[in-house]
Amino acid sequence: MSFPHAKRPALDGLFKPTSIAIMGASSRSAWAKTVLGNLRAGGYGGEVRLVGRRVETVFGLPTVAAMADLDIVPDVAFILVRAEFVLGALKEAADFGVTRFVVLAAGFGEAGTEGKTLEHEISEYCRERGLVLLGPNNMGFVNFSGRVFGFGLSVPETPVGGISLVSQSGALAYQMIAHMPTRLVGLDHVITVGNEAVLDVAACIDYLIDQDSTKVICLYVHAIRSPLEFATACRRAALAGKPVIVFKAGFGEQSARAAVAHTGGLVGDDRIIEAVLQQVGAVRCTSLEDLVTTAALFEGYGELPGVRAAVVTGAGSACEVFTDRADRLGLDLPTINEETADALRAAGLPTFATAQNPLDVTAAVTIDAKEILPELARILADDPSVDILITQGIGLATPTYLNPDRRGLAEAHLRLAASTSKPVLAFADMAMNADPADMELRLELGTPPVIESIDRGLEALHALDRWSQRRRQLLNEGELSTDTPEITIPDDRRWSEATARQVLSQFGVPIAPSTLVTSVDDIGKVSAAYGFPLVAKICSPEIVHKSDIGGVILNIRDEEEARAAFKTLTERAREHHPDARIEGVLLGPMRPPGVELIMGVTRDSEWGLVLALGLGGVWVEVLEDVALRPLPVSRHDVSEMLSELRAAPLLDGARGTEPADREAIADAVLSFAGAAWALREAGLEAMESNPVVVRGADVEALDVLVIFAQPPPMVA
Amino acid sequence: MSFPHAKRPALDGLFKPTSIAIMGASSRSAWAKTVLGNLRAGGYGGEVRLVGRRVETVFGLPTVAAMADLDIVPDVAFILVRAEFVLGALKEAADFGVTRFVVLAAGFGEAGTEGKTLEHEISEYCRERGLVLLGPNNMGFVNFSGRVFGFGLSVPETPVGGISLVSQSGALAYQMIAHMPTRLVGLDHVITVGNEAVLDVAACIDYLIDQDSTKVICLYVHAIRSPLEFATACRRAALAGKPVIVFKAGFGEQSARAAVAHTGGLVGDDRIIEAVLQQVGAVRCTSLEDLVTTAALFEGYGELPGVRAAVVTGAGSACEVFTDRADRLGLDLPTINEETADALRAAGLPTFATAQNPLDVTAAVTIDAKEILPELARILADDPSVDILITQGIGLATPTYLNPDRRGLAEAHLRLAASTSKPVLAFADMAMNADPADMELRLELGTPPVIESIDRGLEALHALDRWSQRRRQLLNEGELSTDTPEITIPDDRRWSEATARQVLSQFGVPIAPSTLVTSVDDIGKVSAAYGFPLVAKICSPEIVHKSDIGGVILNIRDEEEARAAFKTLTERAREHHPDARIEGVLLGPMRPPGVELIMGVTRDSEWGLVLALGLGGVWVEVLEDVALRPLPVSRHDVSEMLSELRAAPLLDGARGTEPADREAIADAVLSFAGAAWALREAGLEAMESNPVVVRGADVEALDVLVIFAQPPPMVA
C-alpha cells in the first residue's frame, strides 16, 4: 500500500524531526539504549523525550509513564516495544497528537497469520487517522546530513555524502553503513522500511528526490509491494536527474523461500522487474558491490557529458583489461587523432611507447619521469573525440603501499582535473583496499571518489550511460498519451476471433483480411473476391485453441475444397465442443511467408498489463527470447524491445529475408498495445496475435485472440 | 617456441640458484640497484657476483669487468643491459659456462622489425647452446618460498603462500604481489615471462607442477605462443591436482591493438581459448579479482569433497543474496532434513527464525547470544546432504570495525572447523577491506583464508567444482586414443563429394546413401533401387558450393524427372565451371526431416584442427551457437559440447520432435573427428557435414565436404 503523495511533506517531520519521543524506554531495553546512544553520537540537535512503564532515569534522561505526561507533542515517536504492545502504544501517542512513528519490532506480516493480522490493524489504523509509520520489522533510519541517527544498531563513525539508501533489510542497511566509508564514499539518508505497513519504498524515493543532499538513491528490495507507485517514483527520480540504483534480491525459486522467511513479501517475476526498471529509468545492479561502485561514480562525478573514455595507465596489462572490458560492454575507447598523438610524443612520451588510447605511458614515466604524467593525461583528455578521462596512478586510486603521500596524490588529481574541461575519473587497478584516512582527505579537499577496479568501474559507467540515455528519452517523451479512440466495445466479454478482429482493426491493428462465412452458399462470392489459395478457421467465442481440434485448414486450392473445409470445420467444432456457439467460418487469403512475430499482452498480478514481443518458432519456444514492458508503452519503448531481442538480426534480413521496417512494426505494436490499454478496465486478461507476419513494411496479424477475466468457460 | 621438457630440471637452477651474477651492474643502474636490493630484502642465501664495465663497489659489492674474472660459474646470470648489448653479454657468459639467464630489457619482439631480429638471434643462440633464458621484456621472477627475489621492481613485504603466478606482464605481476596480501593470501612463485624468447608459459607451468610449495598456478596471458605445449602442461597440472587459473587478456578487436603494442604476441580467437581451457582442465576467470578469489579458495581449502553448501549468516538479506547467486550458478544449497532442523531449534535457534538452509540465525543470536552460533553452524554442517559449510560472522571474514578481537575470531573459526568433518569456509559479506595484520595471524595460526564477498566466492566455488569434475574426467579417460583405421587415402587432394563419402564412410561416419551416376542410362536402375522421391547433386571436385550454381535438385518424383535433373545439373555445371572435372551426378533418396546438426573441422593457425558442432538454421547463422574443441576429442568432450549448445533442448524434443539419441550423435561425431585426425597429416584444411539429420537414434550426414591445403583451385 502506498503513502499518498499529498502527505509527502509529513516525511520531513519524520526524517528531520525537531523532537523525538522514545516509547518503551527502560534501562533494560537494548533498543532504547542503542537508539538513544545513536542520537547522541550523531549529534541530534532536537528534543528527546522518554516514555517508559516505570518512571526512572534512563541513560541520564527522565522517563514519564505515559505519552500524556510529556511537555511537548514530539514530531516522531519511536515505538520500541514488542509486537503485541505496538498497537496500544500507537493509539496512546496518536491520541496525544503524534502523527509520525517508527516501529522496529519484528513479529508482524513476516511471522505468520497472527502477525499479519496485527500488521493489518496497524496499517488500517494509520490509514484512518492519516498517520505516517516506518516499519515494522526494520531498523529505523539514519539521516547523516541532518544528524538524526534513529537506528536500532549502533551506527559507526560515517562520513556524509550524497548517497541515500532505502532498504527492506535492516541488516543489509547496517552492512552498507559500515561498508561505504571503506569505499571512500559517504551517505546521506539510510532508511529501512521493513514490512512497509504504511510507508513504502516509493514514498521514501519521493522524499529523497526532494532532498538536495541526496544525489543518488540506492535500493535494496526483495519485494515491490506497491508496483505502480514504485514505477511512478522511479520515473520521477529519473526526470529529476537522480538515479535510482536497484539491487533486487529473491528472483529464483530458492530465493522465494528465503524471502518469505524474511519479510513475508511476495516475490515477483524477475524478467518483469528487469523490464520495469528499464522503462522507468532505474539502474539495476546484480551485485551489492556494483551497487556501491555505480552510486559512487554518480555521486562523485554527476551525470557525465558522455562515456567515450580516454584511459591513461602505466601498464600495458591495464590497457588490455580496459580494452577487453570496454569491448564486452560496447563502450567506446575512441581513437585519438594525429595532433593528439604528436602532442603526446612532444610532451615526453617515451619513444618505445605507442601514442594511442588506452595509453600505456610505460614504467619509464611512472617511475622515472612522474612529472610528465599529468601533462600526458591532459593532452589525451583534450582530444576532441574524448568525453572523459580515466586515470590510474593519479589521485587516491593509488594504493598507500605504492605511494604514502596521500595529500600529494589527492592534490595531483585536483590539479589534473583543473587542467582540462573533461571529467577526470580515478580508477583503482584492482579491488580496492582503501585507507580510511583517505576519506577524510576527500571530504577536506573535495577530491572525487575512487572508482573500484577496472571491471566494476566500466560496468558502472555503462550502467549510468544507459541511465542517461533513458533519462533523455523520458524527458523527451513526457507523459505517455493514454488517450484511446472512441470505440464501442461489445458487452459480451467472450469474443470470437471475428469480434476480436473487428474491434482491434478499429484501433488500427493491421490484420490480414478475412470474412466470416455463415453459410456454405456464401463461399463462392467470398473466395472469388480473395482468390486462391485460402485459409479457413472455425469461429467461435468458446473455441480458443482452434488448432487443437483441427479447426484451421490451410492451402485451400479451389471452391470445392473451400466448401468441404466449411463442412469439415463445423463438424469438428460440433464434435469437440457441442455447446460452443459457432459463429461460422473465417475465410481469408493465404499470405506469403515473412518474418513471424508474436505480440501479446498479459495481466500480471503486480504490474498490471504487460506487453510481450518476440519472434516465432524456436525463439519464443526454446530460447524464451521475449522483450517485456508494462503498459502503457511509448514508440521508443517498442523500438527498444525490438533491439533487445536476440532474434533482432532476423528483422534486418540476417537469413536472406527482406529487412523488416521497424517503424511499421512499431505502428502495429503500438496499435495493439493501445487497444489493450483501452480494454484494461473492461477486464482484459490476455491478448495475443501469433503470428504477425512481416515482409518489409508490410505487417499483418494473421490471428488475434482477446480474453477477458470471467468464470472459466464451459468449453475450453 | 617451447622449452624441451627433458631440460626441465634446469629450471631448478634458474628459480632456486645457489649463485647469481648480475651483468650490467653499476652504481648508476636502477635495475641493478633494484634487483640487488630485492635479493637482499628477500634474504637470498646464495652467492651474488657483479659484473660491470667499470670495476667499482656497487652497493657494497665489488664488480668485475668481465664474466671470465669471476671466481665461480654462477647458476644464473641476470643480464641488465640495454637490448642492443644483450646478445654480447649472453655470449660472454655462455662462453664462461653459464647456462641460465634472465633478461629484463625491452626493445625486442614487441618493438618492430629490428627488435624482432635481435630476439630471434637470442632465441636461436640459446636453442643451439641449450641455454635457458627468461624474458626479454619482463621483470624477472620472485621465489617467495625459496627466498630468491630476482625482480626488477622493488618487492614489498609479502607473506608466503601456495599461489604461484606466471605472467606475460611484469606490471601485472607487480600489482598482484602488492595486492595478494590485502586479500589475505600468500604467494609462492611469481614468474614474468615477457616475450618468451626461450622459456614459455608452458615450461613455467611444468616447473611449478613439480614444486610442493605451489598449490595453485595462476596465469596472466594475452597470447599463447606454444599452444600444444600449453595444452599439455595444463592437462598435466589438472592430473596432478593443481588448478591452472587463467586470466586471458586481449580477446577483441580493440584488444588486439593494445596487445600488439605490448608484447607483439598474436591474439588468438577467444572462443577457441575457452574451449581449449575447458578441454585441458584449466579454470578461466574473466576478472583479475575472480582470479585471486578462486586461487585463494583452492589454496586455503584444497579440492573440496563437493560443493553442496550449507550457509549460516546473521541476516536474511545475506541468505537472499546467497540463494540468488547459487541459483544463477546452478549451485545446490541443499534442503536440510527434519533431524537437523530439530537439532537447530533445540540448540537455541530463536523461535522466530526458520530452521532452513541458508540459515539466518537472526540478529538475536549474532548480537545477544553469540555463543550459540558455532553450535548452530556445526549442526548445519553435519546435515548429511551438506558437503561444505559457508559462514559469515565467524573468523577473519568479520570486518575489524565490527569485531576488533582478531585472534578470538581466528580461533573461533579453527574451533568450528575442528568440530565438524566438513570444510568450513569463511566468506566476507561484501568486497573485503582486509586488515593486513590478519594475514600474520592467518600464517601464525594456520587459519583458512577469507573468501571475498558472496558473489565472487560462489563464482569461485562453481569454477573449482567444474575443475574437479573435469579433473576426474581426465583421470578416467587417460590418454586419448588417436589410433586411426588403416584406410587408403586417395593421392589427389581435391575430393569430390563422392570421394569424401567413400573415405568418410570407411571411418564409420554414417552418411545417407547415394550413388554416383555417370550416364543417364543408369538412372532407371538406381532410382528403382532407392524409390522416389530422390535428390540429385552435381559431383565434381572443383564445385564446392553446389547450391550457388543450382547444383542440387530436390524432390524428384519419377524417372522422367530424374533424367531431366541429370541433364540440367550437368549443363549448369558446364556453364558455370567449364573447366571442372564432372564426375557425374549423385543420386540418393530424400530423407525425412529431423533435427539438423552441423559438424565441421577447421584448421586454426594456433590450435590446429578444431571440431565445431552446432544445430542448423538460425542457431548457427544468427546465434553462432557452436561448441568448439581442438582435436583429438573424447566421447565425454562430445557429450559436453552437445550440452553447451543453447539449442540443446531441441535435441531432447523441445519442439515436438523425437528426442535425439545423444550417444548415436556422439558415435557419428567421433567417427567424423577420427577421420579428420587421420587426415591431418595429409594437409586437411576443413571438413564439414551440413546437415546431419537426427531422428531418434538415426543419425545421417546428408552432405560431406573435405578440403585440403593446396593452391586455390581454378574454379571455386
Side-chain angles (χ1 to χ4, degrees), chain B residues 24-72:
Chain B
S26 92
S27 50
R28 288 170 313 181
S29 162
W31 260 347
K33 185 180 168 184
T34 307
V35 172
L36 203 52
N38 278 330
L39 287 173
R40 280 180 179 158
Y44 176 60
E47 301 291 324
V48 178
R49 298 289 182 274
L50 306 186
V51 182
R53 244 180 300 175
R54 287 185 306 170
V55 176
E56 57 180 338
T57 299
V58 176
F59 313 117
L61 283 181
T63 56
V64 297
M67 259 297 178
D69 299 337
L70 286 183
D71 56 334
I72 53 169

Coordinates of all heavy atoms in Angstrom, one line a residue, chain B residues 24-72:
Chain B
G24 N 75.9 -6.0 -16.0 CA 75.4 -4.6 -16.3 C 75.3 -3.9 -14.9 O 74.6 -2.9 -14.8
A25 N 76.0 -4.4 -13.9 CA 75.9 -3.8 -12.6 C 76.7 -2.5 -12.6 O 77.9 -2.5 -13.1 CB 76.4 -4.7 -11.5
S26 N 76.1 -1.4 -12.2 CA 76.9 -0.2 -12.0 C 76.1 0.7 -11.0 O 74.9 0.4 -10.8 CB 77.1 0.6 -13.3 OG 76.0 1.5 -13.5
S27 N 76.8 1.6 -10.4 CA 76.2 2.4 -9.3 C 75.1 3.2 -9.9 O 74.2 3.7 -9.2 CB 77.2 3.2 -8.6 OG 78.0 4.0 -9.5
R28 N 75.1 3.4 -11.3 CA 74.0 4.2 -11.9 C 72.9 3.4 -12.4 O 71.9 3.9 -13.0 CB 74.6 5.1 -13.0 CG 75.5 6.2 -12.4 CD 76.3 6.9 -13.6 NE 76.9 5.9 -14.4 CZ 77.6 6.2 -15.5 NH1 77.8 7.4 -15.9 NH2 78.1 5.2 -16.2
S29 N 73.0 2.1 -12.3 CA 71.9 1.3 -12.9 C 70.8 1.0 -11.9 O 70.9 0.4 -10.9 CB 72.5 -0.1 -13.3 OG 71.4 -1.0 -13.5
A30 N 69.6 1.6 -12.2 CA 68.4 1.5 -11.4 C 68.1 0.0 -11.2 O 67.7 -0.5 -10.2 CB 67.3 2.3 -11.9
W31 N 68.2 -0.7 -12.3 CA 67.8 -2.2 -12.3 C 68.7 -3.0 -11.4 O 68.2 -3.8 -10.6 CB 67.9 -2.7 -13.8 CG 66.6 -2.8 -14.5 CD1 65.4 -2.7 -13.9 CD2 66.4 -3.0 -15.9 NE1 64.4 -2.8 -14.9 CE2 65.0 -3.0 -16.1 CE3 67.3 -3.2 -16.9 CZ2 64.5 -3.2 -17.3 CZ3 66.7 -3.4 -18.2 CH2 65.4 -3.4 -18.4
A32 N 70.0 -2.7 -11.6 CA 70.9 -3.5 -10.7 C 70.7 -3.2 -9.2 O 70.6 -4.1 -8.4 CB 72.4 -3.1 -11.1
K33 N 70.4 -1.9 -9.0 CA 70.1 -1.5 -7.6 C 68.8 -2.2 -7.1 O 68.8 -2.7 -6.0 CB 69.9 0.0 -7.6 CG 69.7 0.6 -6.2 CD 69.5 2.1 -6.3 CE 69.0 2.7 -4.9 NZ 68.7 4.1 -5.0
T34 N 67.8 -2.2 -7.9 CA 66.5 -2.8 -7.5 C 66.7 -4.3 -7.3 O 66.3 -4.9 -6.3 CB 65.4 -2.5 -8.6 OG1 65.4 -1.1 -8.8 CG2 64.1 -3.0 -8.1
V35 N 67.3 -5.0 -8.3 CA 67.4 -6.4 -8.2 C 68.3 -6.8 -7.0 O 67.9 -7.7 -6.2 CB 68.0 -7.0 -9.5 CG1 68.3 -8.5 -9.3 CG2 67.1 -6.8 -10.7
L36 N 69.4 -6.1 -6.8 CA 70.2 -6.4 -5.7 C 69.5 -6.1 -4.4 O 69.6 -6.9 -3.4 CB 71.5 -5.5 -5.8 CG 72.8 -6.0 -5.1 CD1 73.1 -7.4 -5.4 CD2 73.9 -5.0 -5.4
G37 N 68.8 -5.0 -4.3 CA 68.0 -4.7 -3.1 C 67.0 -5.7 -2.8 O 66.8 -6.1 -1.7
N38 N 66.3 -6.2 -3.9 CA 65.3 -7.3 -3.7 C 65.9 -8.5 -3.1 O 65.4 -9.2 -2.2 CB 64.6 -7.6 -5.0 CG 63.5 -6.6 -5.3 OD1 62.9 -6.0 -4.4 ND2 63.3 -6.3 -6.6
L39 N 67.1 -8.9 -3.7 CA 67.7 -10.1 -3.3 C 68.1 -10.0 -1.8 O 67.9 -11.0 -1.0 CB 69.0 -10.4 -4.1 CG 68.7 -10.9 -5.6 CD1 70.1 -10.9 -6.4 CD2 68.1 -12.3 -5.6
R40 N 68.6 -8.9 -1.4 CA 68.9 -8.7 0.0 C 67.7 -8.7 0.9 O 67.6 -9.4 1.9 CB 69.7 -7.4 0.2 CG 71.1 -7.5 -0.2 CD 71.8 -6.2 -0.1 NE 73.2 -6.4 -0.4 CZ 74.0 -5.4 -0.8 NH1 73.6 -4.1 -0.8 NH2 75.3 -5.6 -1.1
A41 N 66.7 -7.9 0.5 CA 65.5 -7.8 1.3 C 64.8 -9.2 1.4 O 64.2 -9.5 2.5 CB 64.5 -6.8 0.7
G42 N 64.9 -10.0 0.4 CA 64.3 -11.3 0.4 C 65.1 -12.3 1.2 O 64.6 -13.4 1.4
G43 N 66.3 -11.9 1.5 CA 67.1 -12.8 2.3 C 67.7 -13.9 1.5 O 67.8 -15.1 1.9
Y44 N 68.1 -13.6 0.3 CA 68.7 -14.6 -0.6 C 70.0 -15.2 0.1 O 70.9 -14.5 0.5 CB 69.1 -14.0 -1.9 CG 69.8 -15.0 -2.9 CD1 69.2 -16.2 -3.2 CD2 71.1 -14.7 -3.3 CE1 69.9 -17.1 -4.1 CE2 71.8 -15.6 -4.2 CZ 71.1 -16.8 -4.5 OH 71.8 -17.7 -5.3
G45 N 70.1 -16.5 0.1 CA 71.1 -17.2 0.9 C 72.3 -17.6 0.0 O 73.3 -18.1 0.6
G46 N 72.3 -17.4 -1.3 CA 73.4 -17.9 -2.1 C 74.4 -16.8 -2.4 O 74.4 -15.7 -1.8
E47 N 75.3 -17.1 -3.3 CA 76.4 -16.2 -3.7 C 75.8 -15.2 -4.7 O 75.1 -15.5 -5.6 CB 77.5 -16.9 -4.3 CG 78.2 -18.0 -3.4 CD 78.9 -17.3 -2.2 OE1 79.5 -16.2 -2.4 OE2 78.8 -17.9 -1.1
V48 N 76.3 -13.9 -4.6 CA 75.9 -12.9 -5.6 C 77.2 -12.3 -6.1 O 78.1 -12.0 -5.4 CB 75.1 -11.8 -5.0 CG1 74.7 -10.7 -6.1 CG2 73.8 -12.4 -4.4
R49 N 77.3 -12.2 -7.4 CA 78.5 -11.6 -8.0 C 78.1 -10.5 -9.0 O 77.0 -10.6 -9.7 CB 79.3 -12.7 -8.8 CG 79.9 -13.8 -8.0 CD 81.0 -13.3 -7.1 NE 81.6 -14.4 -6.3 CZ 81.1 -14.8 -5.2 NH1 80.1 -14.3 -4.6 NH2 81.7 -15.9 -4.5
L50 N 78.9 -9.4 -9.1 CA 78.5 -8.4 -10.0 C 79.5 -8.2 -11.2 O 80.7 -8.3 -10.9 CB 78.5 -7.0 -9.3 CG 77.6 -6.9 -8.0 CD1 77.6 -5.5 -7.5 CD2 76.2 -7.4 -8.3
V51 N 79.0 -8.1 -12.3 CA 79.9 -7.8 -13.5 C 79.5 -6.5 -14.1 O 78.3 -6.3 -14.4 CB 79.7 -8.9 -14.6 CG1 80.7 -8.7 -15.7 CG2 79.9 -10.3 -13.9
G52 N 80.4 -5.5 -14.2 CA 80.1 -4.2 -14.8 C 81.2 -3.7 -15.6 O 82.4 -4.2 -15.4
R53 N 81.0 -2.7 -16.4 CA 82.1 -2.2 -17.3 C 83.2 -1.6 -16.4 O 84.4 -1.8 -16.7 CB 81.5 -1.2 -18.3 CG 81.6 -1.7 -19.7 CD 81.1 -0.7 -20.7 NE 79.7 -0.4 -20.4 CZ 79.0 0.5 -21.1 NH1 79.6 1.3 -22.0 NH2 77.7 0.7 -20.8
R54 N 82.8 -0.9 -15.4 CA 83.8 -0.2 -14.6 C 84.0 -1.1 -13.3 O 83.0 -1.5 -12.7 CB 83.5 1.2 -14.2 CG 83.6 2.1 -15.4 CD 83.3 3.6 -15.0 NE 82.0 3.6 -14.3 CZ 81.6 4.7 -13.7 NH1 82.3 5.7 -13.5 NH2 80.4 4.7 -13.1
V55 N 85.3 -1.3 -12.9 CA 85.5 -2.0 -11.7 C 85.3 -1.0 -10.5 O 86.0 0.0 -10.4 CB 86.9 -2.6 -11.6 CG1 87.2 -3.3 -10.3 CG2 87.1 -3.6 -12.8
E56 N 84.2 -1.3 -9.7 CA 83.9 -0.4 -8.6 C 83.2 -1.2 -7.6 O 83.0 -2.4 -7.7 CB 83.0 0.8 -9.1 CG 81.7 0.3 -9.8 CD 80.8 1.4 -10.3 OE1 80.9 2.5 -9.8 OE2 79.9 1.1 -11.2
T57 N 82.8 -0.5 -6.5 CA 82.0 -1.2 -5.5 C 80.6 -0.7 -5.7 O 80.3 0.5 -5.6 CB 82.5 -0.9 -4.1 OG1 83.9 -1.4 -4.0 CG2 81.7 -1.6 -3.0
V58 N 79.7 -1.6 -5.9 CA 78.3 -1.3 -6.2 C 77.5 -1.8 -5.0 O 77.4 -3.0 -4.8 CB 77.8 -1.9 -7.5 CG1 76.3 -1.5 -7.7 CG2 78.6 -1.3 -8.6
F59 N 76.9 -0.8 -4.3 CA 76.0 -1.2 -3.1 C 76.8 -2.2 -2.2 O 76.2 -3.2 -1.8 CB 74.7 -1.8 -3.6 CG 74.1 -0.9 -4.6 CD1 73.8 -1.4 -5.9 CD2 73.7 0.4 -4.4 CE1 73.3 -0.5 -6.9 CE2 73.2 1.3 -5.3 CZ 72.9 0.8 -6.6
G60 N 78.0 -1.9 -2.0 CA 78.8 -2.7 -1.1 C 79.4 -4.0 -1.6 O 80.1 -4.7 -0.9
L61 N 79.2 -4.2 -2.9 CA 79.8 -5.4 -3.5 C 80.8 -5.0 -4.6 O 80.5 -4.0 -5.3 CB 78.7 -6.3 -4.1 CG 77.9 -7.2 -3.2 CD1 76.9 -8.0 -4.0 CD2 78.8 -8.1 -2.4
P62 N 81.9 -5.7 -4.7 CA 82.8 -5.4 -5.8 C 82.3 -5.8 -7.2 O 81.6 -6.9 -7.3 CB 84.1 -6.2 -5.4 CG 83.6 -7.4 -4.7 CD 82.3 -6.9 -4.0
T63 N 82.6 -5.1 -8.2 CA 82.3 -5.6 -9.5 C 83.6 -6.0 -10.2 O 84.6 -5.6 -9.9 CB 81.7 -4.5 -10.4 OG1 82.6 -3.4 -10.5 CG2 80.3 -4.0 -9.9
V64 N 83.4 -7.0 -11.2 CA 84.5 -7.3 -12.0 C 84.1 -6.9 -13.4 O 82.9 -6.8 -13.8 CB 84.8 -8.8 -12.0 CG1 85.3 -9.2 -10.6 CG2 83.6 -9.7 -12.4
A65 N 85.1 -6.7 -14.3 CA 84.8 -6.1 -15.6 C 84.3 -7.2 -16.6 O 83.6 -6.9 -17.5 CB 86.1 -5.5 -16.2
A66 N 84.6 -8.4 -16.3 CA 84.2 -9.5 -17.3 C 83.8 -10.7 -16.5 O 84.3 -11.0 -15.4 CB 85.3 -9.8 -18.3
M67 N 82.9 -11.5 -17.1 CA 82.5 -12.8 -16.6 C 83.7 -13.7 -16.3 O 83.7 -14.3 -15.2 CB 81.7 -13.5 -17.7 CG 80.2 -13.4 -17.4 SD 79.8 -14.2 -15.9 CE 78.0 -14.0 -15.8
A68 N 84.6 -13.6 -17.2 CA 85.8 -14.5 -17.0 C 86.6 -14.2 -15.8 O 87.3 -15.1 -15.3 CB 86.7 -14.4 -18.2
D69 N 86.4 -13.0 -15.2 CA 87.1 -12.7 -14.0 C 86.4 -13.2 -12.7 O 87.0 -13.1 -11.6 CB 87.2 -11.1 -13.8 CG 87.9 -10.5 -15.0 OD1 88.7 -11.2 -15.6 OD2 87.7 -9.3 -15.3
L70 N 85.3 -13.8 -12.8 CA 84.6 -14.3 -11.6 C 85.2 -15.5 -11.1 O 85.8 -16.3 -11.8 CB 83.1 -14.6 -12.0 CG 82.2 -13.4 -12.2 CD1 80.7 -14.0 -12.4 CD2 82.2 -12.5 -11.0
D71 N 85.0 -15.7 -9.8 CA 85.6 -16.9 -9.1 C 84.8 -18.1 -9.2 O 85.2 -19.2 -8.9 CB 85.9 -16.5 -7.6 CG 84.6 -16.1 -6.9 OD1 83.7 -15.5 -7.6 OD2 84.5 -16.2 -5.7
I72 N 83.5 -17.9 -9.6 CA 82.6 -19.1 -9.7 C 81.8 -18.9 -11.0 O 81.7 -17.8 -11.5 CB 81.6 -19.2 -8.5 CG1 80.9 -17.8 -8.4 CG2 82.3 -19.6 -7.2 CD1 79.7 -17.9 -7.4

